[in-house]
Amino acid sequence: MTQNISLGSLKIDITESPGRVTYKVVGKVDDSFKHGDVPRIKAEHIILDLEGITDFNSCGVREWVFLIKDLGSLGKITFTNCSIAMVDQFNMVPESIGTGTVESFFAPYVCEDHGDAEILLDATKHKNNIENHDAPERPCAKCQKPLIFDAMADSYFLFLAPINTKLGKAS
């Protein structure tokens, strides 16, 4: 079963299957987003696919934190495909993650020949790099030359530190 929710410039597709619900979020999380308008569905696994989030404003952040707190009481939250805008929010407002776990996220890279690239990283696969504040090496999809990480690794990967601490690991 799938529900489609439209909240101004934000769209949420909610898909239910046995033991699992997926919220695919696309657009801007701004003052037209009201957390109370998002259905709460209890499930063992609550997946938030956040590749499509493009921006936040302060009202949107507040509403997002309320939503995540509510969803965390209904099941285990996993964040996947977190956009760079979402990672920025995780870093600025740690409550944006709540009790959830980040499975995968995009990181900014650049190729000297082909420009900007957003590369999807797996938080578990690249755990050692991330814990050492070292961006994983990635090749350019067009020329295969090594990409250059286009952020400060110490601050970009900061959002994963609370999760590592929760798991009893030093960051």
Side-chain angles (χ1 to χ4, degrees):
M1 181 169 113
T2 300
Q3 297 180 54
N4 301 308
I5 310 296
S6 182
L7 305 166
S9 58
L10 190 70
K11 310 287 184 247
I12 304 174
D13 294 334
I14 304 169
T15 305
E16 293 180 68
S17 58
R20 178 184 181 115
V21 61
T22 301
Y23 293 77
K24 184 172 178 70
V25 185
V26 176
K28 295 180 181 181
V29 182
D30 58 20
D31 43 327
S32 62
F33 171 59
K34 305 293 182 233
H35 76 91
D37 294 338
V38 180
R40 277 31 173 206
I41 301 167
K42 185 173 184 161
E44 184 178 351
H45 300 283
I46 299 173
I47 311 301
L48 281 91
D49 184 333
L50 306 176
E51 181 175 0
I53 290 183
T54 58
D55 196 18
F56 277 83
N57 72 13
S58 58
C59 293
V61 170
R62 181 190 67 233
E63 294 292 313
W64 178 266
V65 169
F66 289 141
L67 175 65
I68 296 306
K69 183 177 179 183
D70 286 354
L71 291 176
S73 70
L74 299 174
K76 180 181 183 277
I77 299 176
T78 302
F79 298 98
T80 65
N81 305 320
C82 300
S83 69
I84 290 172
M86 190 72 240
V87 169
D88 289 343
Q89 285 310 308
F90 287 160
N91 282 324
M92 289 188 283
V93 183
E95 295 85 3
S96 298
I97 297 174
T99 59
T101 302
V102 177
E103 180 178 275
S104 60
F105 61 95
F106 284 90
Y109 284 81
V110 66
C111 174
E112 291 177 342
D113 295 331
H114 298 104
D116 294 339
E118 293 184 4
I119 304 296
L120 185 65
L121 299 177
D122 180 300
T124 302
K125 180 178 177 183
H126 301 293
K127 182 176 182 268
N128 289 336
N129 293 90
I130 293 164
E131 286 179 349
N132 292 316
H133 304 287
D134 181 31
E137 292 183 14
R138 302 312 250 179
C140 174
K142 295 177 183 171
C143 67
Q144 299 304 305
K145 290 182 184 175
L147 292 170
I148 300 164
F149 186 65
D150 197 21
M152 294 179 63
D154 284 350
S155 60
Y156 193 78
F157 298 129
L158 187 63
F159 73 101
L160 293 170
I163 294 166
N164 292 334
T165 301
K166 286 180 201 171
L167 296 174
K169 299 172 183 144
S171 56

